[in-house]
Amino acid sequence: ARVYQKAMYLAIVKVQETLDKMFGKPKQTKSALAARWTPGEHARWKNLEPIFKSYVSQLLAVASEMQDAQTLRFLLKRIELLVPYTRGNVRLARRLTKLAVSVWTSDTLDVNEATKLRAYLLLRCIADEPDNVEVVLRLVVKTYCGRISRACNPRTLQNILFAAKCIVDLFGVDMAASYTVAFAYLREMAVTLRVVLTAKERNEQADKVHNWSFVNALRLWSMVLSTYGAESELRPLIYPYVQIALGVMRVQPTPRTFPMRLHIASYLTDVVGATGVYIPVAAQILPLLRCKELYRKPAGGTTKDLEWRALLRVGDDAIKTKPFLTGVVNGVMLQLSAFYSAISRHVSFPEISHG
């Protein structure tokens, strides 16, 4: 084991230090000189670039196959020192970003929370480079929507929230790049919603928006706009986001989709409370209390409580059961309380509270 550790130390630390010295990389990473340094400016870069690329390829290959969490965190920390080499090298930035994202999104038992956090710190370090931030944002949002948030249950919900909070933090690096990425994804969601709303058989197309990937995307953009939408370049995106969210709630307004509508209502309420923009949330959830099933005697069936945090739709049999009906009333009251609390200090609260 001692020989292995010494070999790893030589191959990772000493070789990297030697390459840094050969390319004249400043030791003080936060100095003004280090901020201006680029490897392409050095006279040796052209001749030694193939050696450096080979070293990086081997380092990334070892990191991608590493099973030991402690060693993997050490490798990720050392890879952070390669980030300045991505200046003027988009290809290297993509390779480092893909490795960090693969660890950050891993759901294996070998990758614990500390390792995921170290992978995120690498992502943040890459994003701090002006030329890399848009590359990082596009990749993490794509991974979040396409992989992390596809399924939601009590076990995966924690990972979804962790990933969403990390992405929100990354969106604070560069508002111009954040606007470009957010606008592109909101436009894609709007196009999908338009296809559903204009379809002749809307119920058959509803699954394109009534799925966890789409709803968790609404969750993500709610968190982004709630954090940066008050006084930043992202504020103009609140209107299209609200239109998309309200449109999804109107696609299939049946009791089966009540859980999804309550989720979206909570996202809209968060935007109202953080930005001060008025959104008629109450008008979207009050009709739930007029559901005819609420005025009928609950039917027999399971008495097990429903996990509303990870519930998107319910079956026809569950609609008539007491746990579902009780959950609807409690959910509506909770969301109404949160919404009215968010607008309670508005000068026209008595009037808009009826909207």
Side-chain angles (χ1 to χ4, degrees):
R2 182 176 298 178
V3 175
Y4 171 77
Q5 291 177 357
K6 289 184 177 180
M8 290 289 290
Y9 183 81
L10 174 64
I12 296 174
V13 179
K14 289 300 182 181
V15 172
Q16 193 174 64
E17 290 177 353
T18 302
L19 289 172
D20 291 345
K21 187 178 294 184
M22 293 171 66
F23 296 134
K25 179 186 173 185
K27 293 183 179 180
Q28 299 295 332
T29 56
K30 295 185 178 181
S31 64
L33 181 62
R36 296 192 304 267
W37 178 84
T38 56
E41 295 176 353
H42 200 277
R44 292 184 175 182
W45 175 253
K46 186 175 181 180
N47 295 329
L48 298 178
E49 185 179 5
I51 299 176
F52 176 78
K53 288 183 177 180
S54 176
Y55 168 75
V56 172
S57 298
Q58 297 301 321
L59 185 60
L60 296 180
V62 171
S64 62
E65 298 296 331
M66 183 57 61
Q67 300 295 323
D68 182 67
Q70 185 175 358
T71 306
L72 180 56
R73 290 195 295 272
F74 169 74
L75 289 173
L76 293 173
K77 190 173 182 179
R78 297 301 305 184
I79 291 174
E80 281 188 25
L81 301 176
L82 297 176
V83 172
Y85 287 95
T86 63
R87 296 168 185 168
N89 193 335
V90 179
R91 184 179 233 174
L92 178 59
R94 290 183 182 278
R95 295 183 66 184
L96 298 184
T97 304
K98 287 181 179 180
L99 171 67
V101 169
S102 67
V103 178
W104 176 64
T105 59
S106 177
D107 55 359
T108 61
L109 297 177
D110 297 327
V111 181
N112 54 23
E113 293 182 358
T115 307
K116 290 183 178 181
L117 183 59
R118 171 52 61 184
Y120 168 69
L121 293 176
L122 174 57
L123 279 174
R124 178 58 193 257
C125 185
I126 298 171
D128 283 337
E129 297 293 333
D131 296 336
N132 299 339
V133 59
E134 190 169 334
V135 174
V136 174
L137 289 177
R138 289 186 182 277
L139 186 56
V140 295
V141 174
K142 180 181 179 181
T143 306
Y144 173 87
C145 296
R147 177 179 174 182
I148 300 176
S149 64
R150 290 178 65 89
C152 184
N153 54 58
R155 185 182 67 85
T156 61
L157 182 59
Q158 184 176 358
N159 292 332
I160 293 173
L161 294 176
F162 170 74
K165 291 177 181 178
C166 291
I167 295 174
V168 170
D169 184 61
L170 289 173
F171 268 84
V173 175
D174 186 334
M175 286 300 156
S178 297
Y179 178 89
T180 301
V181 175
F183 177 84
Y185 275 93
L186 286 175
R187 182 180 183 277
E188 183 179 339
M189 295 175 68
V191 171
T192 303
L193 177 61
R194 181 182 178 184
V195 171
V196 175
L197 293 176
T198 57
K200 294 182 179 180
E201 298 294 335
R202 181 182 297 184
N203 292 336
E204 296 180 1
Q205 299 289 330
D207 288 342
K208 292 183 178 181
V209 294
H210 287 183
N211 58 73
W212 274 119
S213 181
F214 203 94
V215 173
N216 278 322
L218 291 174
R219 184 205 303 268
L220 173 64
W221 298 122
S222 169
M223 295 172 66
V224 171
L225 294 175
S226 297
T227 305
Y228 306 111
E231 298 179 356
S232 72
E233 292 91 332
L234 300 185
R235 189 174 181 84
L237 297 179
I238 294 178
Y239 178 78
Y241 169 78
V242 172
Q243 295 303 309
I244 294 171
L246 296 179
V248 173
M249 297 175 75
R250 292 194 296 265
V251 168
Q252 200 176 41
T254 64
R256 292 188 59 194
T257 62
F258 280 3
M260 182 200 65
R261 295 170 70 179
L262 290 173
H263 287 312
I264 297 176
S266 69
Y267 307 155
L268 294 174
T269 300
D270 291 340
V271 175
V272 172
T275 64
V277 175
Y278 175 72
I279 304 171
V281 178
Q284 305 300 319
I285 57 178
L286 281 174
L288 274 61
L289 297 179
R290 293 194 286 268
C291 173
K292 61 182 180 181
E293 280 77 11
L294 290 175
Y295 300 94
R296 296 176 179 175
K297 184 178 180 179
T302 178
T303 59
K304 185 178 179 181
D305 291 337
L306 300 173
E307 184 59 63
W308 286 83
R309 296 180 306 161
L311 190 64
L312 195 63
R313 287 183 293 189
V314 296
D316 293 332
D317 295 336
I319 294 175
K320 302 176 182 180
T321 61
K322 186 175 181 180
F324 175 77
L325 299 176
T326 303
V328 170
V329 175
N330 292 339
V332 172
M333 293 297 102
L334 178 63
Q335 294 306 322
L336 285 176
S337 299
F339 172 67
Y340 289 138
S341 175
I343 64 173
S344 60
R345 297 186 179 183
H346 199 282
V347 66
S348 59
F349 171 72
E351 289 79 16
I352 63 178
S353 61
H354 295 285

